[in-house]
Amino acid sequence: MSNRAAPPSGIIELIRSLQDAMPEAQQSVAELVLRDAAAVASMTILELAEQCGVSTGTVTRFCRTVGFAGYAPLRIALASDSGRAAQSTLAANIGADVAESDSLVQVASVISANIAHVVTEAIANLDLADVDHAAALLTTARRVVIYGVGGSGATASEFQQRLHRIGVSAWAHNDVHVALTSAALMEPGDVIVAISHSGQTREVCDVITEATSHRATAIAITSDLGSAVARRAELVLATGVNQVGFRTESILARHAQLAVLDLLYVAVLQRTLIQTKKAMAVTAQAVQPYKLAR
C-alpha cells in the first residue's frame, strides 16, 4: 500500500472509526494514539511498540490498517493532525492572528502555535520523492544558484551557507542584475533554486527564465503550486503557508521555507556523507581560532 495523505476529517478520526474492527494488539496501539497523538508523533517505532506492549511488526501492520505504507508517514500525519487541533483551539480562544490590543502573552502564544502549525503542515504536505529528486540534482550539480527577493533573499543566503559548508558549489543572490548575470552563465547540469512565498515575484520569474534558457534545472520553493514561479520550474517544493494572518504570514512563510530547506539540506548531506564529514572538519578548524574560550 502506498503512502497517502490523511483524509479531510483527519487521521485521528479515521483511527477512532476503525479501532473496534482491529485485532486486539493493534487496538492497544490505537488507544495510545487516540489518548495522545502528539506524543506518539514524537516516538520512534520501537518506543511506541514498547509503550503498547506489542512488537514493531504489530505497529507496522497498524500503519497499513489505517492506510500508510510504514510508520514514518503515519507520524507525519499524526503531527499534522495534532497541529491542526492545537491551531483550532488557539483560534477559538484568541484568534488566528494578532491585534493591536493583544497582550504580549497573547502575541507570543499566537506566534508559537502558528509557527508549529505551519512547519508541521509544510513537512506533512511535501512530496518526499520530489525532495529526494531535488537532493540528487543539488548533489550532482556543477554549480547551484539560489535566488530570492526580500525575506526570501535572506532564506536563500542561509541555504547557500549551509550547502557551501558541506562542499556544494553554491551562490546566493538577492540583486536581480547580479542574479540575471549569474543565470546567463549557467549550463546544463547547473541548478537554480528559486524562493518565493507568493510565487508571483516578477524578478524571480525572470531569473528562472534566463537560467532555464541555458538548460539549467529550476527548483522552486513556494507556497503556491499554481503560481508563475512554480510553472517555470521543473521541480516544485511547496511550503504551504496560505493567508494565516496578515500580521504573521510573512513571519510564518520564512519558518515554512526554512523547514523545507532544512529537510532538503539533510537529504543532500546524506548523499554526500564522506565529503560532508571532511568539509565540516576543515571548516570548523578554520574558524576555531575565532572561538572565545569559556
Side-chain angles (χ1 to χ4, degrees), residues 144-147 183 186 190-194 207-208 211-212 216-220:
V144 177
V145 172
I146 310 163
Y147 181 60
M186 298 186 84
D190 294 343
V191 175
I192 181 164
V193 179
V207 171
I208 294 176
T212 54
T217 301
I219 300 171

Side-chain angles (χ1 to χ4, degrees), residues 12 29-30 63-64 77 83-84 150 160 195 223 235 238 252 254 266:
I12 295 172
V29 179
C63 296
R64 291 171 180 162
R84 278 194 294 269
Q160 182 271 338
I195 306 173
S223 66
L235 197 58
L252 299 174
R254 176 169 167 77
V266 172

Side-chain angles (χ1 to χ4, degrees), residues 14-252:
L14 176 63
I15 291 171
R16 183 174 283 111
S17 70
L18 296 175
Q19 182 181 11
D20 291 342
M22 293 178 183
E24 185 177 351
Q26 290 185 34
Q27 285 189 26
S28 65
V29 179
E31 287 171 6
L32 183 57
V33 169
L34 294 175
R35 188 162 63 246
D36 196 345
V40 172
S42 68
M43 294 179 186
T44 66
I45 189 171
L46 183 58
E47 289 169 340
L48 177 57
E50 289 177 347
Q51 286 275 345
C52 298
V54 300
S55 68
T56 55
T58 295
V59 176
T60 300
R61 287 189 288 276
F62 170 81
C63 296
R64 291 171 180 162
T65 297
V66 298
F68 294 94
Y71 185 54
L74 174 66
R75 285 179 68 184
I76 292 173
L78 289 173
S80 178
D81 224 20
S82 299
R84 278 194 294 269
Q87 184 72 4
S88 296
T89 300
L90 182 72
N93 290 330
I94 59 174
D97 203 6
V98 295
E100 290 82 352
S101 60
D102 286 344
S103 70
L104 196 55
V105 171
Q106 289 174 306
V107 173
S109 295
V110 171
I111 294 296
S112 176
N114 278 344
I115 287 173
H117 173 70
V118 297
V119 168
T120 299
E121 288 288 290
I123 298 299
N125 292 326
L126 274 176
D127 186 327
L128 297 182
D130 285 343
V131 176
D132 192 54
H133 184 193
L137 291 170
L138 294 175
T139 300
T140 58
R142 183 184 71 100
R143 65 198 293 254
V144 177
V145 172
I146 310 163
Y147 181 60
V149 175
S152 294
T155 304
S157 294
E158 184 161 342
F159 188 51
Q160 182 271 338
Q161 291 171 20
R162 295 190 184 191
L163 292 180
H164 192 64
R165 190 182 176 192
I166 63 173
V168 176
S169 298
W171 289 261
H173 305 300
N174 55 22
D175 179 278
V176 67
H177 288 194
V178 176
L180 285 169
T181 301
S182 186
L185 296 173
M186 298 186 84
E187 300 176 359
D190 294 343
V191 175
I192 181 164
V193 179
I195 306 173
S196 172
H197 168 49
S198 68
Q200 302 294 347
T201 309
R202 178 177 176 179
E203 294 94 329
V204 178
C205 291
D206 288 348
V207 171
I208 294 176
T209 299
E210 181 64 35
T212 54
S213 73
H214 299 282
R215 298 174 60 194
T217 301
I219 300 171
I221 311 293
T222 179
S223 66
D224 187 351
L225 293 175
S227 65
V229 167
R231 290 195 301 270
R232 285 165 171 78
E234 176 179 313
L235 197 58
V236 183
L237 303 182
T239 55
V241 180
N242 292 299
Q243 300 299 325
V244 178
F246 77 93
R247 294 176 182 84
T248 57
E249 184 177 349
S250 62
I251 299 171
L252 299 174

